[in-house]
Structure formats: C-alpha cells, structure tokens
Amino acid sequence: MVHILGETAVISLLQPSQEMYDLFDDIILLSEGHIVYQGPKEKAVDFFESLGFICPHRKAIADFLLEVTSRKDQQQYWSREDEPYQYFTVERFSEAFHTGQTITKVLEVPLERNLSSLSALKTSKYGVRKRKLVKAIFSREYRLLRRNPSVYILTVLSFVAMTVFWHNNMRHDSVDDGGIYLGVLFFFVAETMFSNMCDLGGTIMKLPLFFKQRDVFYPAWAYTFPTWILKIPITLIQVTIWVTMTYYPIGFDRNIGRLTKHYFLLLALSQMSSSLFRLVAGVTRNMFAAKIFGTFTVLLLLLLSGFVVSSKNLNKFWMLGYWMSPLMYAQNAISTNEFTAHSWKSLGASVLKSRGLFLETKWYWVGLGALVGYTFLFNCLYTVALACFKRGPKVLNKKLEELSRNTPVKSQQKRVTNELQSSVNRRATLPFMPLSLTFNDIRYSVDMPKEKKVRAGTEDRLEILKGVSGAFRPGVLTALMGFSGAGKTTLMDVLAGRKTGGYTEGTINISGYPKKQETFSRVFGYCEQSNIHSPHLTVLESLLFSAWLRLPSEIDSMTRKMFVENVMELLELTSLQDAHVGLAEENGLSSEQRRRLTIAVELVANPSIIFMDEPTSGLDARGAAIVMRTVKNLVDTGITIVCTIHQPSIDIFESFDEGIECVNRIKDGYNPATWMLEVTSTVQEQMSGIDFSEIYKKSELYQRNKALIEEISSAPANSGDLLFPNKYSHTFFKQCLICLWKQNLLYWRNIHYTGRRFFVTTVIALLFGTVFWNLGMKRTKPQDLFNSMGSMYSAVLVLGIQNASGIQPVIAMERIVFYRERASGMYSALPYAFAQVAIELPYVFVQTLIYGVLVYTMIGFEWTIAKFFWYLFFMYFTLLYFTFFGMMTVGIAPNGVIAAKIPIWWRWYYWICPVAWTLYGLGASQFGDVEEKLDTGETVAKFMRSYYGFKHEFLEMVAIVTMACPVAFAFLFGFSLKNINFQKR
C-alpha cells in the first residue's frame, strides 16, 4: 500500500525492482492463496529471519520475499546449521504470521479525522452529475464513430447497385418488370439490415470496458442512450448516400413525396436493425454466442419478410413469426409506397398481389410505426440487459487447473538434483555444431517518417543502428542491455534476418563464413518477446510439432520425444504437458507459463545459436530464475546464447559473463539494470562531460573486441561452410503431412468453429425445411418456382457467408503463428496452405450432408438419384468456394447480388460470380428438365430458360466451373501466403 497525498493506494506487483519496492510503506505477501505476511516493509525480513531464513547482504529484498516461499528456491536461505532443512510450507508461514500478529492489530491505527479524509466520503453513487456523465460518454462514442469506415463501404455498394439496376434497363411494362423492381426493394431492405451487423461485434468488443466501469463511473442508461442517439447522424448519412445514389438512377417513382417516404422508411429500418444487433450483443455478451444468435435472427427475419417465400405459401406454423417480423412491415411498407404510385397504374396492384403483399396505402404508415416502435423496444431491452446481466463468463481450462498443481516435494527435490545431469546425458544423443556469430559495422535505417522529416531537414532515412560490431561465442552467455528504444530488438532482428523492411548494411559471419539465411535458420532459434502459439494444442503437442519439423529427419520418433520431455523437465512444463495453450489473457496457460513454452519451442530444435528477446519479461523472480538456470546450463554445453534483459535481478545479472573490467562493480544491493543504465545515460555523460562511446572506442577493451571479431570472423583451418542438402529438414510431402496433423488437432478441438458450424447448419436446415415445407414439388405457377429458387438463393448466401466469415478469425489467428513458424524454418508456405485447405474438405462434406439430407427431404424436391446427387454436388462445392474465399480474403466479407437484368458493363461479372454458377446449377438440375405446365401454359423448363436463362444441357459445364471456383480460391490463398507478408518488423 502507498499513501499519496493522504489517499490510500493498493498496487499488485509481479516482480518489483528494489527501487520500486522502497517506494511502498506496507506490503501484503500472498502465496498459494494464503497471506504469509502483512505489515510494514521494514519488518518483513525480520519476520522470516525469526523463522530461520536469512536474506543475503547483496540480495534484493523484493526477490528474497518471492523466493523464500518457493519449494525450489527456499533452501538457499536456510540459516540454522544445527537443524536439518525441511521445506517450510506456505501454511506454516501463514500460521506463524497469524500467531504473532493478527490483521486486527494492523488495522488498529484509527483513521485521522481531518477535512481531507472526510472529503473522500461521498454520499452520491457516481463522481459527477448525470448531465456530465452523459456528456462524457457522448464525447467518447463520437470519437469511436468517426473511425467507422462503414460510410465509405456503403458508398461503394450504392454505386454498384446504381450501375447494376440502371434505369435505362428497368421497365414498367409487365408484372415481370414489377417483379424485378420488387427484388430491388428487397435488396434495399436486406442491405440496410445487413449494413448494421457490424454493431454486433463492435458492441461485444466494448462490453468488457463497460462492465468494468458500470456502477462505478456511470449507470447502464448513461451508456446506452448516447450510443443510440449518436447512431442517428451516422444513419442519416448512410441512408442519404444510399437513396441519393440509387432512387432516381434506378427509376423508382419520381414523386418527391414518395421519395421522402422511401427515405424515412429506410432510416427507421436502419435504426431498428442497429438496435436489434445491440440487443443481441447485450444479451449474449459473448462473440461466439452473438454470431450464432445474430445469424439466426437475420435469417429468420429475411425468411419471414414476405418476399423470399410468399405469405400465401408460408407454413401456418410460422404465421405468428410472420406478423412479428420487423422486415415484414418494412418490405410491405416500401413495396406499397412504390407500387401504389401513378407510374405503375394497374400493374402495381398485380405485382403486389402476385407476391402476397398488402395493397392498401395505409400499410406504409403501419410499417413505419412498427419499425419506430421496435427501435424503442429494442433499445429499452438493451438497457435492461446491460443493467441486469453480468459480464460473460470466461472459458476456463479445467485440465490446466488439475495439471498445474504442485507435485510432491520429494519428486521436486529429486528433479532438481538430477536436472543438469539428465540434460547432459540426453543432449549427448543429439549432437550439434558449436557456432560463433560476428557482425561488423552493422547499419540499419528506415525511411524517414513524414512528421520527423520536417524536423530533421532533408534526410530521407532514419538510422537506428550506427556501425555496430560485436561477437557472440559458443559457451558464452551474452546480455544486450540499454534503454527502451536503444536498438536491442532491432539488432537481434537484423542479425536473425527477421526484418521485413528497411535498409541493412554491414557483414555478418557464422564461424568465419558469410551468413546465408536459408542455412542459418536450420541452426538458429529465436525466442521472440511475444508469446505466439496455437491455442488448441497442448504443451506437449506444441513442442512435438516444433521438434518434428526442425530436428533432422534422421532422428527417430523415440529419441525426438525423449529430447522434448527433457526440455519440458528443464523448464518445469512436465506437469502442464496435457494442458491446452489457450488464448492469452482469456484461458489456458498463464503469461508466465506461456513464456516458458515460447523458450521451450525453440530449445527443442536443438539450435547452435539462440536469441532471446527479454526471456524473463512477464515472469516473477522465481520464474525468471528457472529460465536463466536452464539457459546457463545450455550455455555450458557450448551453445551460443544472446539475451536482451530489461530489468534483471542481481542473480540473473551475475549469470552473464562480464568483460568490462574498467567499470567499477555494482554496489551491494543496488539493482544492476538501474546501475548500467544510469552510468551510461546521456544525462550522466553531460554532467561529467564524458562520451562513453568515444572512450570505449579508444580503450584497450575496444581493441581487444575488434581483434576478437577479426579472429572469429576468419574461418578455422580445415573447416567448411554450413551446408544442408535441403532448405528444410523434411521433404515437401512430409511437411504437408505434419502440418495436416496439426490442423487436424486444431479443428477437432476448436469447438467454437467446428461445433458452431455444424450447429448453425442443423438449425438453418430445420428452419428452411419448416418454412419451405413441401414446396419443392409445387410447380403449378411461377410463384411456386420463385419460392423454390428463393430457398436455394437464401441457403447459398446464408450458409456461404457463414462459412466465409467463420473461417476468417481462425485464419487470422493462425496466420500470426504461421509467420513465426515459417521464419523459424519449419516449413514453406505451400505445405501450410495445403493442410489448411485439405482439412476443410471432410468438414464441409459433413456440413453438406447435414444440410442437404434435411432440407431436400423437408422441402420435398423430386426424389431421383441424379437430382439428389446434383443438389449435394453444387452445395458441397459452393460451401467450399465460400470457405476458401474467406480464407483468401481473411478480412473481406463476400457480398453477391443476383439480378435478372444486368447492364452491359456488369454482364462480365455475372460470368465470374461463383454464386451465379451455383444458382444456375441448382435451378437447372432441379427444374431445367421438368416438362410440367404452369398455369400460364408455359412448361417449367421453358420458364426457367426464359426467365432465369438456366439451360439443363449446360449442367456439366456449370459443374466444371463450380468445381474450379474452390480450386482457384485455394490457389490464391497459397499464393498470398507465399508471396505476401503483412507482418511489419
């Protein structure tokens, strides 16, 4: 606890430096859920000394307090030579503390009653008035809305709609012409609905901050009200752009009153849909559940809008949902507004009657009122949900809790005793070549940022590394230290060949030979600062995957597994070997355990040279000691290791090999990182008038280092350059199999992706089956065919978009892991792409069977082997190309529009649009050969040919094109992985 200006502050710390520790007044030391000490910091050491544990003179007190309760580190502090050491449990520490001093005694000091302390006692729940609360939240939400790119996306979509449905190609001469206009209006309604679906994810992402601040800074209504109100100007801008670019250019009625009514209806629809998606997000409070319920909501509203399936043909089971659907009111209102205009004369009523829509003009006002009412209702329910519900529960890794429990004391002590010997014995089975690395006059620069170029004058480049030289030798543990921004990580990235941009100059040699990146990656390991791993693998599987791909192919599986087990033992990961890695800060391993896993992933490659970027970052004193002991043991075997250390303890600092004898040694008890940075700081140089860089260059130490660099840079006699028969340890085919092994594990355990896919598919199939119940064999009038084609169109878009959007976060998450693994030389891009594509094939096949069997049976399409086969065939390859399209784009959601008449400048897109080919195949295979007559006297086959342009004789060609689509997207996915790198370093 720290007392600042009379206030009490409580701060939790993982690994405080001695200087930070000295700032505190009182400390509370927790271990395994027990309080082992609470009181003034000056008395903490005395308490443990009374129990027989002495803090060494040069030991930082903060490190001592963290290690004295640890099983592995406690014994070194035992001071009673006349008594044999036995592990002093946390429970005994807690009992000793509570026996000698209770918490009550600590709190006996009365509160000082003065004006400053009384002013802290507030009678109101929130810190400011309600008006200021609303104003502050308004300001924050406004800043967030300014960064919303939806306006630009909507402008592009408006332009596409305008050019596709250009008025010169739109007529008012027949009911069929009216049907096309009706389809355009449905597209407007659906697009307005879909355009606000981004509010679903945006609301979910902001909820954690809301729940943290709720009931402390502001109530729920103060958050939901500004969100709603600030959405109105955004909606005004979006609808204005949409109506301005589409209404008159497409050829709707020119009456200004109908334009105004059209505008306000879309405005109310946009507000309603935005409120609905916020409500779904507020109720679910979880991205996984929100996507499922959001999808069902949109699908249900579209199916019950009265356009996809006519209300006359709708199953009676769904009639209540039809009358409750906001889109039913929107579709009827916008259609009534258009087709009761004078420009349509008597055709308008025929068009509305043919699709089962209302004819009276009053339905516009009914629809508008319903949308406004739903907007108020959804916003009120959203406020109630945020006020009553708690934050969504985290998904915990129960297996981790079981596996991470402390093992018995005797087994712990036995492992500590045999640790080093076990390492030497097993490492002897995996020989490696000790290698040195020298770099001379390394310069690295980047293009000067525009804002800095103004201040820097005419310089075009910003130089970060300025003629750096050095040598890393086998068996020597080297530390890179310096201020933040000094260039430590940049130097390591340059030497490792991990930079994706900038300009590098200088020479880098490996044991006297010029460095070649393709061979260097085979003998090199890089523990990056970020802990990037596949979340659905276990610790053991993560290490086996790395060892399998990076160790030489000659090593048998038994030896490889023994080596992996040894590395786990060194880093105390054995008890966690079956725990899932999980997502950072959500579930799975803790940050400290992830850090050790990151190091282990590189160690199992048996490298000759290892770079570690802040290996102790995020670790407490005990975890840092474990890592550095392991590193020191590895160095003793002849490996070259280089670490950047941010703030090491005195024990870690002494693990490194010091070679600057002209500098006075660090004082007892002083933090080494602080000492190093203070004596070399710019301020210290200015105060003393000394340039340490120049002194170093003129010193004998610098000359010895230069001589050492020149000596090591020369290749020893009878030595040879690093040569490997192949760039990778395994063949292309073996890389494909290993990557497929990993992808199989990831998909099988990713219940959020695979489970959601099958669940959504099943529910959608049942939904479609009940809505379109037994409509497949009804072929007596054109509306029957419209209903069947509507079911196919809706299924293709809904399931396809679900597949495309569902795969995107999976690919995005794994792409970060892919960048790390490819840079480590595990595999090339194509085997990874092959595995990602191949693993989708069986899952999409099962998804197709689930949907195809249920829907084909319930809708009642014609039961012939050929027609059923074609239905499954086109659905399978359709879901494949949507999935592969999502993989290829990752960040771009698909959006396709099918229209009966397209201007000449857009007809080319019809022939390359995969959805068009899918609908062609489904429609032609089901109805293209049916010779039954409609009530118009036209056969079904002739109607499909004249209205849609679907010809049954072209079915084989359509099948070939449909199969080519997923192949093309899969190829582009692999090409993008191989040639495009979005990682910036």
Side-chain angles (χ1 to χ4, degrees):
M1 290 177 285
V2 181
H3 299 282
I4 305 173
L5 299 179
E7 297 184 2
T8 301
V10 181
I11 304 174
S12 64
L13 295 172
L14 179 66
Q15 185 183 358
S17 63
Q18 187 62 40
E19 292 74 17
M20 187 181 300
Y21 176 82
D22 291 340
L23 294 175
F24 290 86
D25 303 308
D26 293 351
I27 63 169
I28 299 176
L29 184 60
L30 279 169
S31 182
E32 298 181 12
H34 295 277
I35 293 182
V36 297
Y37 177 78
Q38 176 180 359
K41 66 171 188 259
E42 296 83 2
K43 301 293 184 180
V45 175
D46 297 338
F47 167 72
F48 287 102
E49 286 183 353
S50 67
L51 300 176
F53 298 95
I54 300 297
C55 178
H57 182 58
R58 296 187 62 225
K59 184 73 175 183
I61 297 177
D63 293 342
F64 165 75
L65 295 178
L66 292 175
E67 294 177 359
V68 72
T69 58
S70 166
R71 294 178 183 271
K72 197 166 187 177
D73 302 305
Q74 185 185 91
Q75 186 173 1
Q76 61 182 305
Y77 302 117
W78 182 249
S79 62
R80 297 176 180 175
E81 299 180 356
D82 56 333
E83 298 180 15
Y85 166 75
Q86 289 185 346
Y87 174 63
F88 207 94
T89 64
V90 172
E91 290 80 2
R92 292 177 62 189
F93 277 123
S94 179
E95 182 181 355
F97 166 73
H98 285 86
T99 300
Q101 173 180 343
T102 62
I103 298 179
T104 305
K105 292 182 180 180
V106 178
L107 301 177
E108 282 179 352
V109 180
L111 175 67
E112 184 179 348
R113 300 184 61 84
N114 53 40
L115 293 178
S116 62
S117 61
L118 290 176
S119 64
L121 303 177
K122 300 292 184 180
T123 58
S124 60
K125 188 174 183 179
Y126 305 105
V128 296
R129 295 179 181 273
K130 295 180 180 179
R131 181 180 299 178
K132 289 187 177 181
L133 282 175
V134 176
K135 184 178 179 180
I137 300 175
F138 258 110
S139 177
R140 184 184 67 179
E141 294 297 317
Y142 174 70
R143 292 191 184 94
L144 294 175
L145 285 176
R146 288 181 60 184
R147 303 167 188 168
N148 191 341
S150 61
V151 173
Y152 308 104
I153 298 174
L154 193 66
T155 303
V156 176
L157 291 177
S158 303
F159 175 78
V160 173
M162 176 186 68
T163 53
V164 168
F165 303 108
W166 189 251
H167 66 274
N168 288 343
N169 302 275
M170 306 287 283
R171 302 181 182 277
H172 296 65
D173 301 333
S174 65
V175 175
D176 288 345
D177 294 336
I180 296 172
Y181 270 97
L182 197 60
V184 176
L185 291 176
F186 174 72
F187 168 66
F188 282 15
V189 169
E191 180 55 40
T192 304
M193 184 78 183
F194 273 111
S195 65
N196 289 298
M197 203 167 184
C198 59
D199 289 348
L200 192 69
T203 302
I204 291 290
M205 288 189 292
K206 292 189 291 184
L207 283 183
L209 178 62
F210 162 77
F211 283 116
K212 181 183 293 186
Q213 297 176 345
R214 186 188 66 178
D215 300 331
V216 178
F217 297 142
Y218 48 78
W221 65 265
Y223 174 80
T224 59
F225 181 70
T227 305
W228 174 21
I229 298 302
L230 284 174
K231 185 66 178 181
I232 295 177
I234 296 296
T235 303
L236 285 170
I237 296 173
Q238 292 175 335
V239 175
T240 300
I241 293 173
W242 182 268
V243 173
T244 302
M245 295 185 66
T246 59
Y247 189 85
Y248 284 130
I250 289 177
F252 290 111
D253 189 82
R254 295 184 176 277
N255 184 281
I256 190 66
R258 296 192 182 273
L259 167 64
T260 304
K261 291 162 70 176
H262 179 97
Y263 174 84
F264 278 106
L265 185 79
L266 292 182
L267 187 66
L269 175 61
S270 181
Q271 278 291 301
M272 183 279 301
S273 62
S274 177
S275 304
L276 174 62
F277 289 127
R278 289 198 298 271
L279 172 61
V280 172
V283 172
T284 56
R285 295 158 292 139
N286 176 277
M287 189 68 75
F288 171 66
K291 285 186 176 181
I292 293 179
F293 285 98
T295 300
F296 291 157
T297 301
V298 171
L299 176 59
L300 193 60
L301 293 182
L302 289 176
L303 291 179
L304 300 178
S305 64
F307 179 84
V308 176
V309 56
S310 173
S311 60
K312 297 178 181 179
N313 303 111
L314 190 63
N315 194 318
K316 293 182 179 180
F317 176 79
W318 286 107
M319 287 307 297
L320 178 61
Y322 171 78
W323 287 104
M324 295 179 62
S325 171
L327 287 196
M328 183 277 287
Y329 294 98
Q331 184 66 38
N332 276 279
I334 199 170
S335 302
T336 302
N337 178 63
E338 174 62 24
F339 289 101
T340 56
H342 293 294
S343 60
W344 285 98
K345 300 179 182 179
S346 61
L347 282 177
S350 300
V351 172
L352 293 174
K353 188 181 296 184
S354 68
R355 302 307 294 263
L357 300 175
F358 302 121
L359 304 180
E360 298 87 352
T361 55
K362 68 177 183 180
W363 280 101
Y364 171 83
W365 301 107
V366 173
L368 182 63
L371 293 177
V372 173
Y374 274 122
T375 301
F376 279 95
L377 175 63
F378 293 153
N379 277 289
C380 291
L381 293 177
Y382 175 52
T383 303
V384 172
L386 293 192
C388 299
F389 293 161
K390 296 181 179 180
R391 182 176 180 177
K394 291 186 177 181
V395 180
L396 299 177
N397 190 340
K398 294 183 179 179
K399 181 176 287 189
L400 174 65
E401 296 178 0
E402 299 173 1
L403 296 171
S404 59
R405 294 172 183 169
N406 289 326
T407 55
V409 179
K410 292 184 178 179
S411 62
Q412 285 260 4
Q413 294 174 342
K414 182 178 180 181
R415 184 170 70 249
V416 174
T417 305
N418 299 331
E419 190 174 79
L420 182 58
Q421 186 62 39
S422 175
S423 171
V424 174
N425 291 341
R426 293 195 180 186
R427 181 161 287 276
T429 63
L430 294 179
F432 67 96
M433 180 186 300
L435 298 174
S436 62
L437 186 150
T438 59
F439 49 98
N440 192 22
D441 196 25
I442 295 294
R443 297 181 180 273
Y444 177 75
S445 58
V446 295
D447 293 327
M448 182 72 71
K450 292 182 180 180
E451 59 275 10
K452 290 187 177 182
K453 192 172 183 179
V454 176
R455 299 192 299 266
T458 59
E459 295 184 9
D460 295 328
R461 295 183 182 179
L462 175 63
E463 194 172 44
I464 300 176
L465 298 180
K466 306 173 182 179
V468 180
S469 302
F472 304 142
R473 293 167 289 167
V476 176
L477 180 57
T478 306
L480 284 178
M481 298 185 64
F483 288 101
S484 295
K488 304 184 298 296
T489 302
T490 300
L491 175 60
M492 296 181 77
D493 284 345
V494 169
L495 298 180
R498 298 290 178 94
K499 283 295 181 185
T500 59
Y503 309 92
T504 303
E505 301 175 3
T507 59
I508 304 175
N509 292 330
I510 306 298
S511 291
Y513 293 92
K515 174 197 163 192
K516 299 177 183 177
Q517 189 62 34
E518 58 271 15
T519 57
F520 179 67
S521 60
R522 295 283 298 271
V523 297
F524 171 73
Y526 194 166
C527 301
E528 300 183 9
Q529 190 171 354
S530 55
N531 304 313
I532 301 172
H533 305 285
S534 296
H536 299 291
L537 293 182
T538 65
V539 171
L540 177 60
E541 290 163 351
S542 300
L543 299 180
L544 287 175
F545 179 73
S546 178
W548 197 355
L549 281 168
R550 298 175 69 179
L551 291 176
S553 56
E554 297 80 16
I555 297 178
D556 60 86
S557 59
M558 182 63 67
T559 303
R560 183 170 59 242
K561 187 174 182 180
M562 289 176 59
F563 182 67
V564 168
E565 291 173 349
N566 173 65
V567 172
M568 287 194 300
E569 190 174 325
L570 288 177
L571 290 170
E572 295 193 6
L573 292 172
T574 304
S575 61
L576 301 171
Q577 63 179 350
D578 295 324
H580 291 175
V581 176
L583 296 172
E585 299 181 359
E586 290 189 19
N587 52 43
L589 302 180
S590 66
S591 57
E592 184 265 341
Q593 292 164 341
R594 289 174 188 276
R595 194 67 190 142
R596 284 188 276 150
L597 176 60
T598 299
I599 297 172
V601 164
E602 298 301 319
L603 294 184
V604 296
N606 195 32
S608 300
I609 302 174
I610 302 178
F611 284 1
M612 296 184 178
D613 192 2
E614 298 192 14
T616 60
S617 177
L619 305 183
D620 56 18
R622 177 178 174 273
I626 293 173
V627 169
M628 294 312 300
R629 272 200 304 267
T630 302
V631 170
K632 189 62 177 176
N633 291 339
L634 293 172
V635 167
D636 292 340
T637 65
I639 295 180
T640 302
I641 300 183
V642 182
C643 301
T644 62
I645 299 295
H646 180 60
Q647 186 172 315
S649 65
I650 189 65
D651 294 334
I652 294 176
F653 185 76
E654 290 180 342
S655 299
F656 294 93
D657 302 276
E658 298 176 63
I660 306 179
E661 299 176 357
C662 58
V663 178
N664 293 330
R665 290 184 61 82
I666 185 173
K667 296 181 180 179
D668 292 345
Y670 204 75
N671 183 271
T674 305
W675 169 74
M676 288 281 289
L677 297 179
E678 284 181 354
V679 298
T680 59
S681 67
T682 305
V683 176
Q684 187 68 27
E685 287 182 332
Q686 293 175 350
M687 292 176 58
S688 58
I690 298 175
D691 188 339
F692 282 103
S693 177
E694 290 299 323
I695 293 177
Y696 170 68
K697 291 180 179 180
K698 296 176 182 179
S699 66
E700 181 182 353
L701 177 62
Y702 174 77
Q703 299 301 323
R704 292 203 309 266
N705 288 336
K706 290 292 290 184
L708 177 64
I709 294 173
E710 293 180 4
E711 177 185 351
I712 300 178
S713 298
S714 301
N718 301 324
S719 65
D721 197 358
L722 283 174
L723 293 176
F724 295 97
N726 300 299
K727 182 178 180 180
Y728 301 98
S729 298
H730 295 277
T731 62
F732 178 87
F733 179 72
K734 191 64 175 292
Q735 293 176 47
C736 291
L737 292 181
I738 300 174
C739 289
L740 187 60
W741 171 82
K742 176 186 176 182
Q743 290 296 336
N744 179 51
L745 294 174
L746 294 179
Y747 268 58
W748 183 254
R749 293 172 181 159
N750 191 351
I751 190 66
H752 279 187
Y753 176 56
T754 56
R756 172 177 173 266
R757 174 196 290 187
F758 293 144
F759 176 73
V760 169
T761 301
T762 303
V763 175
I764 289 178
L766 295 174
L767 187 60
F768 271 91
T770 53
V771 171
F772 296 93
W773 182 265
N774 280 335
L775 296 181
M777 289 299 292
K778 291 184 179 180
R779 299 179 291 207
T780 59
K781 52 186 178 180
Q783 182 60 46
D784 295 333
L785 298 179
F786 292 153
N787 291 335
S788 297
M789 290 303 299
S791 72
M792 298 174 185
Y793 174 75
S794 303
V796 168
L797 283 188
V798 173
L799 283 177
I801 292 175
Q802 276 298 302
N803 277 29
S805 60
I807 190 65
Q808 288 170 358
V810 176
I811 297 297
M813 182 185 300
E814 282 298 314
R815 187 175 65 177
I816 303 174
V817 182
F818 161 75
Y819 285 147
R820 176 185 63 79
E821 293 176 345
R822 184 178 64 171
S824 299
M826 290 188 181
Y827 47 72
S828 63
L830 294 183
Y832 174 85
F834 165 81
Q836 186 67 65
V837 168
I839 197 61
E840 281 288 343
L841 301 179
Y843 284 90
V844 173
F845 182 72
V846 174
Q847 182 186 14
T848 304
L849 285 179
I850 293 173
Y851 178 82
V853 173
L854 289 175
V855 169
Y856 203 90
T857 303
M858 297 175 73
I859 294 181
F861 289 117
E862 185 177 346
W863 272 105
T864 65
I865 296 178
K867 290 183 181 293
F868 182 62
F869 166 78
W870 282 120
Y871 190 86
L872 293 181
F873 175 88
F874 284 110
M875 286 304 301
Y876 177 68
F877 283 100
T878 297
L879 296 179
L880 268 187
Y881 71 62
F882 266 108
T883 303
F884 294 165
F885 181 80
M887 291 165 56
M888 180 192 70
T889 58
V890 177
I892 304 177
N895 192 305
V897 180
I898 307 300
K901 293 184 180 181
I902 300 179
I904 188 65
W905 53 81
W906 277 107
R907 287 179 185 169
W908 61 270
Y909 182 72
Y910 176 86
W911 295 105
I912 67 170
C913 178
V915 177
W917 290 98
T918 294
L919 293 178
Y920 195 129
L922 289 172
S925 64
Q926 294 299 318
F927 305 111
D929 60 345
V930 177
E931 297 300 329
E932 298 177 12
K933 289 188 177 182
L934 302 172
D935 56 2
T936 60
E938 193 177 24
T939 65
V940 173
K942 188 176 180 180
F943 178 83
M944 297 296 293
R945 182 188 296 263
S946 61
Y947 192 85
Y948 291 107
F950 296 166
K951 301 177 182 179
H952 190 269
E953 55 267 27
F954 286 169
L955 196 57
E956 289 76 12
M957 179 60 67
V958 175
I960 294 174
V961 175
T962 306
M963 286 192 297
C965 290
V967 175
F969 288 139
F971 171 79
L972 291 175
F973 171 64
F975 178 83
S976 63
L977 287 179
K978 181 176 176 60
N979 297 282
I980 303 175
N981 190 347
F982 292 100
Q983 190 181 38
K984 294 182 180 180
R985 300 186 66 155

